[in-house]
Amino acid sequence: MKATLVKLFKAMLGSLRDLLPIFLVIAFFQFAVLQQPLPNTGELLMGVVFVVLGLTFFIHGLEQGLFPIGESMATAFARKGSLFWLIAFAFCLGFGTTVAEPALIAVAAEAADIAAAGAMIEADDDSREQYADGLRYTVALSVGLAIVLGVLRILKGWPLQRLIIGGYILVVIMTIFAPEEIIGIAYDSGGVTTSTITVPLVTALGVGLASSIRGRNPMIDGFGLIALASLSPMIFVMIYGMWIA
Amino acid sequence: MNILDALAEVTLNTVSDVLPIAAIIFGFQFLVLRRKPAHFNEILWGFLWVLVGLSLFLLGLELCLFPLGRLMAGQLTDPVFIQAHHHAAALGGAIDWRDYYWVYIFAFAIGFSTTIAEPSLIAVAIKANEVSGGAIGIGGLRISVALGVAVGISLGCYRIVVGDPIHWYIIGGYILVVLQTMVAPKLIIPLAYDSGGVTTSTVTVPLVAALGLGLSETVPGRNPLIDGFGLIAFASLFPILSVMTYAQLAEFRARVARRKSKDSTH
C-alpha cells in the first residue's frame, strides 16, 4: 500500500513537472506583459489540481490498458495469419476513431461556414450540415485507408519515406488545382485527426506488429502509422473541395 | 457553472469518445480473435483510468488554462496593445510585422509548453524509449518536438501577419523534410514523421486555434475564415525537422565521443 502511494506521488510530481512550463508561460504573460491580476484564483487552483491528477491517471491507464491491448491484439493478428481480418481491423480502427473525433467535428463545421461564405454551397443550414458531414466522412475514410496502407507497409517492409514523399508530391499537385478556400482547412485537417486515445493504440499496434513479424525492426517499421494518418486527410479533403466545386 | 455539472458533462463527452474505440477493440477481440487477452481485468482497469484521467485533465484545462489562454491570445493581438508596443510610433511610421513581436514570443512559449504537456506525445515518447532500448530519451524527444512546434507556430503567426499564401511555406517545409531525410539516421525517420501528427491534440489545438483566430480578426486585410487556419499545419510540419535534427546531433556527439576515447587510448 505504502509502495503504491509513493509511486503515485512520484507520478504526480512528474505530471506537475510536465505542466509547469504552461503555468510559467501563462503567469509571465499575465503579470509581466499584460500586467493584469489573475481572475478567480480558487477556480484556477482547482483546475491545476484536476489537470495534474488527470495527467497522472491517464498515463497510468495508458501503460496498464491502451499499450497492452494494442500490442496483444497485434501479436494475436500476426499469429492468426488472416490478412483480411487484420485489414478490416485496421480500417475500422482508423475510421471509427476519427469519425466521432470532436476536433474534426468542429473543423468540419467551420469549413462549412467558409464554403457558404465563398458561395461554394447554399448558405442554408441543410446544405451546410450536408457539407460538414461529407467532409467528416471523407476525413474518416482517408484515415481508415491510411492505417490500412500503413499496416500493409509493415507487413511488406516498404520504406516509409517513399510513401510519405509520394504523399507530399500528391499534396503539392492537389494544391495547384484545389479551390483556395479549402487549402488552409485541408492542411490543418491532417493535424486534428489523431486524438489522445487513438495515438497510443495505433502506435502500440504498429510496434506490436513489427515486433511479431520476422525480419521487421520495430523502430524502422513499427512507427509511421500516425504519419500516414495525418497526411492522407490533406489529400482527400482537397479532392472533396474540388469535387464539391 | 457548477463544478459537478461540468464534471458530469466532460465525463459524458469522454465516454462517448472512448465508446466507439472500445467497441471496435473489444468487438474484434471477442468476435474475430476469440481469445481473452492476458491480464484482461488489468486492461479494463486501465481503460477506466484513461477515462477518468482524460476527463479530469480536460475539465482542469477548461477551468484553469483555456479561458486565460484564449483571453491572452485575444489581448495580445488587440490593435490597442499592438499600438502601445509600436516601435516606430515616435517616427510616425505605420504598424508593420515587427510590432507583433509579443505575439511571436507568446506563440513560441505557448507552443513549446503545451507540447511538453501533450499526453499523446508522452505516450509516443514512452514507446520510442522502450523500443529503442533507451537510446531515444523521453525528455530529449519531447523537448525537440516542442521546439519544432514552437518555431512552427511563431512562423505561422508571422505568415498570418504578413499575409503570405500558406502553400509556399508548407511546400518549402516539405522540400526541407525530403532533403533532411536523405542525411538523417535511418532509425529515426519513421518516428520523426510520426511526431508531426501527435503534437497537435488536446492541449495545443484549442489555444493555437484561438491565437490564429485572434490574429486574423485583428490584422487589417485578413479574413478569419481563410487566414485563421493553417497554424496546426505548421505545428505538424516543423517537429519532423526538429526530431531529425535531434537524432543528427546525438549521432554527431556519439562520433565525437568515440574519436576522443580512441585518441586517449593511443
Side-chain angles (χ1 to χ4, degrees):
Chain A
M1 185 65 203
K2 200 180 161 204
T4 322
L5 278 180
V6 169
K7 208 177 140 216
L8 183 72
F9 184 69
K10 274 198 182 143
M12 268 163 62
L13 277 185
S15 302
L16 194 61
R17 198 192 54 214
D18 291 339
L19 292 159
L20 198 62
I22 301 190
F23 300 145
L24 291 178
V25 168
I26 294 281
F28 172 76
F29 275 87
Q30 189 75 1
F31 297 128
V33 182
L34 296 166
Q35 294 172 351
Q36 280 158 4
L38 286 175
N40 33 9
T41 328
E43 210 168 79
L44 279 180
L45 279 179
M46 190 140 74
V48 171
V49 172
F50 281 174
V51 170
V52 171
L53 282 178
L55 191 60
T56 311
F57 293 165
F58 175 79
I59 290 173
H60 179 69
L62 185 85
E63 284 171 335
Q64 202 185 341
L66 294 186
F67 278 162
I69 189 89
E71 262 169 44
S72 91
M73 287 189 84
T75 321
F77 271 118
R79 200 175 300 146
K80 191 178 167 72
S82 158
L83 186 64
F84 170 78
W85 282 116
L86 178 59
I87 299 285
F89 175 65
F91 182 81
C92 286
L93 193 63
F95 185 89
T97 56
T98 310
V99 81
E101 170 67 31
L104 177 63
I105 295 173
V107 167
E110 277 173 71
D113 291 342
I114 296 181
M120 288 161 71
I121 54 168
E122 303 280 322
D124 58 276
D125 283 348
D126 268 358
S127 39
R128 237 183 276 191
E129 196 173 312
Q130 213 179 352
Y131 182 89
D133 281 348
L135 190 66
R136 200 152 60 88
Y137 284 106
T138 306
V139 173
L141 183 74
S142 71
V143 173
L145 292 177
I147 304 280
V148 168
L149 182 68
V151 164
L152 281 177
R153 174 193 84 90
I154 297 175
L155 298 180
K156 303 277 182 198
W158 297 330
L160 177 70
Q161 53 268 43
R162 287 203 200 144
L163 290 177
I164 296 288
I165 293 173
Y168 283 174
I169 295 173
L170 272 178
V171 169
V172 173
I173 294 174
M174 300 301 304
T175 304
I176 304 172
F177 297 107
E180 209 193 332
E181 294 83 8
I182 200 97
I183 291 175
I185 304 160
Y187 285 3
D188 270 5
S189 67
V192 297
T193 50
T194 43
S195 80
T196 312
I197 301 165
T198 320
V199 167
L201 274 175
V202 166
T203 307
L205 177 74
V207 170
L209 268 182
S211 323
S212 47
I213 297 173
R214 194 191 295 266
R216 295 287 168 273
N217 178 327
M219 202 61 214
I220 293 182
D221 302 297
F223 289 96
L225 288 175
I226 307 286
L228 289 168
S230 353
L231 184 59
S232 70
M234 299 172 71
I235 300 166
F236 276 74
V237 169
M238 285 196 272
I239 295 178
Y240 182 72
M242 282 161 63
W243 182 58
I244 290 289
Chain B
M1 194 172 25
N2 191 325
I3 300 280
L4 281 179
D5 286 351
L7 184 65
E9 197 193 320
V10 82
T11 309
L12 217 63
N13 283 340
T14 317
V15 169
S16 68
D17 280 359
V18 175
L19 221 51
I21 300 175
I24 291 167
I25 294 271
F26 294 115
F28 272 87
Q29 185 75 54
F30 289 112
L31 299 177
V32 179
L33 294 171
R34 295 191 193 164
R35 214 169 52 89
K36 217 167 147 181
H39 313 293
F40 185 63
N41 281 339
E42 265 181 44
I43 290 177
L44 278 185
W45 275 107
F47 266 83
L48 200 68
W49 281 116
V50 163
L51 207 71
V52 173
L54 208 55
S55 306
L56 276 178
F57 188 67
L58 291 175
L59 179 66
L61 288 177
E62 208 49 73
L63 282 177
C64 71
L65 181 64
F66 289 162
L68 263 182
R70 286 200 194 104
L71 199 66
M72 254 173 216
Q75 285 172 331
L76 288 170
T77 52
D78 193 328
V80 179
F81 178 84
I82 302 291
Q83 192 66 49
H85 292 79
H86 179 24
H87 72 282
L91 306 167
I95 286 186
D96 64 12
W97 64 270
R98 278 168 299 183
D99 298 313
Y100 288 87
Y101 60 94
W102 274 121
V103 172
Y104 311 137
I105 297 173
F106 181 70
F108 188 93
I110 208 79
F112 183 88
S113 57
T114 54
T115 307
I116 288 288
E118 199 65 78
S120 46
L121 177 61
I122 300 180
V124 168
I126 292 175
K127 203 83 220 166
N129 179 265
E130 186 189 305
V131 170
S132 68
I136 293 169
I138 296 181
L141 181 69
R142 283 167 64 199
I143 289 174
S144 35
V145 172
L147 280 175
V149 173
V151 171
I153 295 178
S154 325
L155 192 67
C157 286
Y158 166 78
R159 179 199 77 85
I160 295 178
V161 170
V162 296
D164 288 338
I166 182 169
H167 48 267
W168 295 125
Y169 287 79
I170 299 294
I171 293 172
Y174 282 174
I175 293 173
L176 285 179
V177 169
V178 172
L179 291 178
Q180 206 178 357
T181 301
M182 295 178 188
V183 292
K186 290 283 159 289
L187 276 176
I188 200 75
I189 291 172
L191 180 63
Y193 286 178
D194 265 6
S195 40
V198 299
T199 49
T200 44
S201 49
T202 331
V203 201
T204 319
V205 171
L207 287 180
V208 166
L211 194 59
L213 209 64
L215 263 181
S216 54
E217 269 168 2
T218 51
V219 177
R222 299 292 164 272
N223 179 353
L225 286 180
I226 293 177
D227 297 299
F229 287 93
L231 283 181
I232 311 283
F234 277 83
S236 328
L237 182 59
F238 281 78
I240 303 182
L241 299 171
S242 63
V243 170
M244 286 199 275
T245 308
Y246 162 71
Q248 282 175 301
L249 284 177
E251 203 187 43
F252 177 74
R253 274 215 306 266
R255 208 181 301 151
V256 170
R258 257 204 311 277
R259 197 173 303 152
K260 261 194 195 139
S261 68
K262 212 186 267 170
D263 287 347
S264 59
T265 52
H266 277 298

